[in-house]
Amino acid sequence: MFTMPSMSQVASSFGQPESFAPGSWLRLRRQPLASVLYLESGSVLLGVEQGLSLRHQLGQIDGPAWLDAAFALQRRNSCLDMQAQSAGQLYAIPIERFHKAVTDMPVPAQQLLKDLARSYCSQTELAVSRLAQDAEARCAQWLLHHATERAEGGLRVILNARKRLIAAQLGIAPETFSRVLRQLREHGLIAGRGNVIDLPKPQALEVLALA
């Protein structure tokens, strides 16, 4: 996450931090930024919300760290949804006072921060746009990439990692990964039990992967 020099001093000058509980939504995409969030403690997931859950996960931030300072510096709304993974505390700094603190810095430092913020925002928005690809397509791609040939013929995938870790690789929530596997199974595109997944129709999976 983008880090600003002397962030602890800047944040703590605005009073006492606010507490939040696990599962709390700290920031929703495209909301006008009236404040800038500084995470004093706790863990926050970054991604894209859908149906009141964080369907696509792009990363995790542990305090202390700024959550959306880069977007504020670029004077644009955050393209990320932010959900608390644990309990913690944060400062909500009025955006006008945040910009005033930045303008009080030396001009070269201001320019450096804005350049870093521009790069971070561009990369993050690109990552979010790629999430537009359907979760089923990404799962199909992953299965085909990790498939090996069976001695008796056909393809098989052995899940050597926990589903939540595989889901994180795909940028989706564990619940979404389980749902997609269930749907693929119902359509006859995968078979098997436990950590063994057979691919009886690899051609159909290839079509889905290109969707």
Side-chain angles (χ1 to χ4, degrees):
M1 169 59 70
F2 173 74
T3 302
M4 179 178 173
S6 303
M7 56 186 180
S8 296
Q9 292 89 335
V10 173
S12 60
S13 66
F14 295 99
Q16 297 299 315
E18 303 172 11
S19 298
F20 57 82
S24 302
W25 292 103
L26 306 181
R27 178 72 73 203
L28 292 175
R29 289 179 299 148
R30 310 308 178 191
Q31 282 186 335
L33 291 184
S35 61
V36 183
L37 303 181
Y38 174 72
L39 183 65
E40 176 70 17
S41 63
S43 181
V44 176
L45 296 176
L46 309 178
V48 177
E49 176 271 344
Q50 185 173 2
L52 299 180
S53 65
L54 200 66
R55 181 180 181 187
H56 305 295
Q57 296 179 16
L58 281 175
Q60 176 180 325
I61 298 296
D62 297 317
W66 291 95
L67 292 179
D68 50 9
F71 295 102
L73 284 167
Q74 287 294 293
R75 298 182 183 277
R76 64 175 77 177
N77 300 329
S78 172
C79 66
L80 293 171
D81 295 312
M82 304 179 184
Q83 185 179 37
Q85 186 178 35
S86 69
Q89 293 186 315
L90 58 73
Y91 292 90
I93 303 168
I95 195 163
E96 297 83 1
R97 298 181 67 181
F98 172 80
H99 283 300
K100 176 61 169 59
V102 173
T103 57
D104 288 342
M105 300 174 63
V107 173
Q110 293 183 47
Q111 190 58 53
L112 174 61
L113 290 178
K114 291 177 181 179
D115 288 344
L116 291 172
R118 183 183 305 109
S119 177
Y120 173 82
C121 292
S122 297
Q123 292 177 11
T124 303
E125 289 173 348
L126 177 61
V128 170
S129 69
R130 288 176 175 172
L131 291 179
Q133 182 186 30
D134 195 84
E136 285 81 359
R138 278 180 280 139
C139 288
Q141 291 175 356
W142 188 92
L143 289 169
L144 291 168
H145 179 73
H146 290 84
T148 57
E149 293 187 5
R150 302 167 56 191
E152 60 271 31
L155 299 177
R156 170 171 288 174
V157 177
I158 306 296
L159 302 182
N160 294 317
R162 294 183 177 181
K163 289 184 179 180
R164 64 179 180 82
L165 297 179
I166 298 173
Q169 295 176 22
L170 295 171
I172 59 179
E175 297 80 6
T176 301
F177 183 57
S178 296
R179 175 180 57 79
V180 170
L181 290 181
R182 183 173 62 253
Q183 291 174 343
L184 294 178
R185 194 182 306 277
E186 291 173 352
H187 288 87
L189 299 183
I190 65 173
R193 293 183 178 277
N195 66 336
V196 178
I197 298 179
D198 293 324
L199 311 183
K201 300 178 180 179
Q203 295 82 5
L205 272 182
E206 290 176 358
V207 173
L208 181 59
L210 297 175

